[in-house]
Amino acid sequence: MRTSQLFIPTLRDNPGEAEVVSHRLMLRAGMIRKVAAGIYTFLPLGLRVLKKIERIIRQEMNRAGAQELLMPILSPAELWRETGRWDFYGKELLRCQDRHDRHFCFGPTHEEVITDLFRREVRSYRQLPMNFYQIQTKFRDEIRPRFGLMRGREFLMKDAYSFDADEAGARVSYQKMYDAYDRIFTRCGLKFRAVEADNGLIGGTTSHEFMVLAETGEETLVYDEEGSYAANVERAELLPPDQEDGADQLPLETIHTPGTKTVEAVCALLQVSPDRLVKTLLYETPAHEVVAILIRGDHEANTIKICRHLGITEIALASKETVAAVSPAPLGFAGPVGLQGIRILADHGIKAMRNFVVGGNKPDTHLKHANWGRDFTVEAFLDLRRAQAGDPSPRSDGRLHEVQGIEVGHVFLLGTKYSKAMNATVLDAQGQEVPAIMGCYGIGVSRTAAAAVEQNHDGKGMVWPVPIAPFHVHLLPLTASETVLKTAGTLYDSLIAEGVEVLWDDRNERAGVKFNDADLIGTPFHLIIGEKGLAQGVVEFKRRKTGEVVNVQPDAVQSHVKGLLSAYDLPR
RNA sequence: CGGGGCGUAGCGCAGCCCGGUAGCGCGCCUGCUUUGGGAGCAGGAUGUCGGAGGUUCAAAUCCUCUCGCCCCGACCA
């Protein structure tokens, strides 16, 4: 493709609207343009990347036995009412009405639509397993779209849904998808990690997230170097301590600690380390129950774990007013000793502690040498805190490490949540009607493109992994001289004939402009043709990622490129 | 939804405090020269100053309302 025939409006300056690197570079490289908050047009170059990713996904989904179909963007309210999600999904579900005042929504996901299809068409366990997928535009009316393609409202997603007659079959279907995802992101040329994840509101029992590793990722993952455990930090399990502190219990001491509201301040004043302190966090449930959570001073509470233990979906730190109603202590001085009428749950790290410091449950007071059991009663010791680097792995003798990631895929074993709600059943071998066991599997296609940039860029621009690069080779004739143009034309034709995707910068621009645009666009290989090289009978091949340059004779270019590309499993 | 910031030429910005000719750089158009890391010279085009009201002889500038965008938080497959 010639640059003169491809709309690539590159920008020299950083657009003011973009903060994160993928957003900035994709705008600058002329890949995307914003239409409204979280809504983008893909320009030709950006679309080529999406299509590459799509091709890899299609191949691997098909190989895994899934069948492609295409569902509508709009779906009728009735289906969503059946599962209760018409109300439950909240404002993220963008709704509209047609001319007959019938209610519809823009699909944020398609469990309802696919389950409706399934129940109408499939009768017998003999037809299973089945797995349907589509690559389609989704709409989620996010509270705050941001970071360009990373969290758009309209985005391209691959979603798949598996149906099985029994749990064992469902696990096989799940594993197939897990393996397919592993191949997909590997083939995309991305560094990623699959981690155990929280099922959240979608329900079900098992889920894994596929995370592209990037410092700018919003998600935090923990893993042990043995490879035995990797999880989203919000999910990461921590085992109870295996031994308790056997020290003698010392007498409780009251200490005057005016103005020391933070863990740091208390530790500085009392000359103790934070791991000798227990903080008392007062949370309020949606039903206005106040719960005290005890966490070691150097640890952080994990609200998702707290919610799971309490069997609720959301919880927030109690307001000043609520705190005042249950404790005479102002914020910063809450403590478990003498706390009346509310549940006290402790992270199991507390179980190993003796003679620790707690808030005094009254103004300007802390207590030293507090002990659970003697000074206050804990309803239960549970896993309530957020994992952090250095914590012991729950599956090995190793320690956990932390790394940032971008969620690009999520696989769920759903169970029967949707099939039961919508009465999607098949007859099993005994002639009994059983609800289908479902799984659902998503890949954010446009987000994968953005994540690839977050992971692969430098000061000059993007550095695309070869399999998803918009082009393989960027052909850069540096002058308009006859020999240079002739060589460029010949090489272009010979590479195109071999199926190599070449972007030929045929603009009458100076070398610097072409180099800078090429670096910005980030095509993996630059084929540079200049007078200097031709005088010595060579053209130059530059690898974008390393800047490494090799001279090649024009005759040898075709085989050289074939050699370079043969190292990759390219989508066809 | 809470907090913060920003809307002035295609892009990046200045001007606003202290009201009085709408500017700079890049880009764009024409011509000539130039051509290995964002060229030079000469000439040229481009603005409902986000929108609506108000104050004023006079509003990009002051006031009120509104719309949009970005960032932080809450939230999130």
Side-chain angles (χ1 to χ4, degrees), chain A residues 39-145:
Chain A
I39 300 177
Y40 291 86
T41 291
F42 283 89
L43 304 187
L45 204 59
L47 185 61
R48 287 184 71 97
V49 173
L50 286 190
K51 294 289 175 194
K52 290 272 180 89
I53 299 172
E54 277 188 23
R55 257 185 274 170
I56 293 173
I57 292 174
R58 272 202 182 85
Q59 286 180 355
E60 295 302 333
M61 291 301 292
N62 292 343
R63 187 197 292 194
Q67 306 179 54
E68 186 170 10
L69 46 62
L70 185 59
M71 291 180 262
I73 291 179
L74 285 183
S75 55
E78 297 82 71
L79 289 179
W80 292 77
R81 291 209 171 93
E82 283 190 55
T83 58
R85 289 210 288 184
W86 183 256
D87 297 317
F88 192 70
Y89 221 105
K91 289 196 170 170
E92 212 172 297
L93 195 60
L94 182 66
R95 297 146 215 256
C96 62
Q97 280 165 265
D98 68 8
R99 62 169 66 196
H100 306 293
D101 289 335
R102 288 184 293 231
H103 294 264
F104 288 83
C105 67
F106 291 78
T109 175
H110 280 72
E111 283 82 6
E112 280 79 359
V113 178
I114 196 75
T115 307
D116 180 55
L117 175 79
F118 181 89
R119 69 179 167 185
R120 290 168 187 276
E121 309 294 335
V122 181
R123 301 270 83 93
S124 160
Y125 78 100
R126 290 171 183 274
Q127 294 169 274
L128 303 184
M130 272 184 174
N131 188 331
F132 296 110
Y133 77 98
Q134 64 173 345
I135 296 175
Q136 186 227 28
T137 298
K138 293 282 185 278
F139 196 95
R140 295 183 188 176
D141 203 357
E142 292 277 348
I143 301 174
R144 180 151 93 86

Side-chain angles (χ1 to χ4, degrees), chain A residues 278-549:
Chain A
V278 169
K279 52 190 175 186
T280 305
L281 303 169
L282 297 173
Y283 282 91
E284 186 175 357
T285 69
H288 304 296
E289 186 199 352
V290 177
V291 182
I293 305 292
L294 306 185
I295 304 278
R296 205 169 86 180
D298 57 334
H299 291 158
E300 272 179 65
N302 178 328
T303 49
I304 290 176
K305 289 180 178 177
I306 295 170
C307 285
R308 202 183 306 139
H309 285 299
L310 294 174
I312 56 180
T313 56
E314 58 177 327
I315 197 162
L317 280 170
S319 65
K320 226 182 271 178
E321 296 71 32
T322 312
V323 172
V326 298
S327 163
L331 287 176
F333 296 96
V337 180
L339 200 57
Q340 297 296 323
I342 66 173
R343 299 170 67 181
I344 300 178
L345 301 176
D347 178 68
H348 49 212
I350 310 292
K351 199 164 183 197
M353 296 174 72
R354 278 281 199 305
N355 302 320
F356 43 86
V357 175
V358 294
N361 208 28
K362 40 184 135 152
D364 297 338
T365 304
H366 280 80
L367 300 174
K368 227 169 140 174
H369 302 149
N371 285 291
W372 54 266
R374 181 189 70 179
D375 304 316
F376 60 92
T377 306
V378 171
E379 178 186 316
F381 291 96
L382 301 164
D383 178 12
L384 298 178
R385 73 177 176 93
R386 182 186 182 280
Q388 53 196 38
D391 280 333
S393 164
R395 300 277 185 280
S396 74
D397 293 335
R399 299 267 152 191
L400 296 180
H401 296 260
E402 271 189 26
V403 66
Q404 297 303 114
I406 299 162
E407 181 193 347
V408 290
H410 203 156
V411 292
F412 289 93
L413 198 51
L414 283 176
T416 56
K417 177 171 169 164
Y418 297 93
S419 50
K420 272 188 179 158
M422 297 183 68
N423 200 31
T425 60
V426 290
L427 291 181
D428 68 10
Q430 283 75 45
Q432 299 293 310
E433 242 183 40
V434 294
I437 317 280
M438 293 174 60
C440 72
Y441 317 93
I443 291 179
V445 179
S446 40
R447 185 187 278 184
T448 299
V453 177
E454 292 290 333
Q455 185 180 79
N456 302 286
H457 67 270
D458 61 20
K460 292 177 174 176
M462 309 189 275
V463 184
W464 287 102
V466 175
I468 60 173
F471 288 91
H472 300 139
V473 173
H474 205 147
L475 180 60
L476 302 169
L478 296 186
T479 63
S481 81
E482 206 174 313
T483 44
V484 167
L485 289 184
K486 203 177 146 211
T487 310
T490 310
L491 291 179
Y492 179 77
D493 290 341
S494 77
L495 290 174
I496 291 292
E498 280 299 317
V500 177
E501 298 173 15
V502 186
L503 179 60
W504 177 5
D505 192 342
D506 62 345
R507 298 174 300 172
N508 184 23
E509 287 287 357
R510 297 169 66 86
V513 174
K514 293 187 178 182
F515 281 135
N516 282 310
D517 272 352
D519 287 339
L520 176 63
I521 289 168
T523 289
F525 303 106
H526 295 172
L527 178 50
I528 301 160
I529 302 168
E531 308 280 6
K532 234 161 54 180
L534 287 185
Q536 297 163 39
V538 295
V539 295
E540 292 152 60
F541 235 93
K542 186 161 95 178
R543 201 178 271 266
R544 169 68 179 88
K545 191 178 176 125
T546 59
E548 153 204 10
V549 177

Side-chain angles (χ1 to χ4, degrees), chain A residues 8-16 24-25 27-30 33 459-460 507 509-510 512-513 516-517 520:
Chain A
I8 311 177
T10 56
L11 303 174
R12 194 161 164 172
D13 296 315
N14 279 320
R24 219 164 52 212
L25 291 176
L27 283 168
R28 278 192 58 201
R33 286 294 184 263
K460 292 177 174 176
R507 298 174 300 172
E509 287 287 357
R510 297 169 66 86
V513 174
N516 282 310
D517 272 352
L520 176 63

